Amino acid sequence: MLKLGMKPVTGVSRVTIKRTKNGMDFTTDKLRSLVRKWQTLIEAHVDVKTTDNYTLRMFCIGFTKRRPNQVKRTCYAQSSQIRQVIF
């Protein structure tokens, strides 16, 4: 189970959510170190409505990985496989 700490910040036209110390985010250098050649990057997002009627947009990032005894250098995912992961 993942607990997120959120703090509402009122804006001009809407209420936005600001990450607090309990929120999680990748730093730019960590994200760039994860992205490599010869693999597929899979990104997805979903809107989640909480019990108190807040709507959160959750983001997910994933990468393909080589199998233990794989000979082929690349490990790309087919578009049908990516759709299975996202939906």
Side-chain angles (χ1 to χ4, degrees):
M1 180 170 180
L2 178 67
K3 293 189 177 191
L4 299 174
M6 302 289 176
K7 182 169 75 174
V9 178
T10 56
V12 176
S13 62
R14 63 181 185 266
V15 174
T16 59
I17 300 296
K18 181 179 178 184
R19 287 188 311 271
T20 61
K21 63 181 176 181
N22 296 331
M24 300 173 69
D25 194 14
F26 280 120
T27 58
T28 307
D29 59 332
K30 178 63 177 175
L31 186 60
R32 288 186 179 141
S33 71
L34 292 173
V35 178
R36 296 197 180 109
K37 291 171 78 173
W38 317 120
Q39 68 181 9
T40 303
L41 167 71
I42 303 170
E43 294 178 309
H45 69 275
V46 66
D47 292 330
V48 179
K49 185 163 271 209
T50 62
T51 55
D52 54 354
N53 257 355
Y54 278 100
T55 303
L56 300 175
R57 179 164 282 174
M58 306 293 284
F59 293 91
C60 181
I61 187 170
F63 305 95
T64 55
K65 182 180 175 185
R66 290 181 62 176
R67 299 265 177 172
N69 293 322
Q70 182 175 336
V71 177
K72 192 169 66 169
R73 184 176 180 185
T74 62
C75 54
Y76 296 126
Q78 295 177 344
S79 58
S80 61
Q81 293 170 326
I82 294 172
R83 280 194 301 273
Q84 280 183 333
V85 171
I86 292 176
F87 300 112

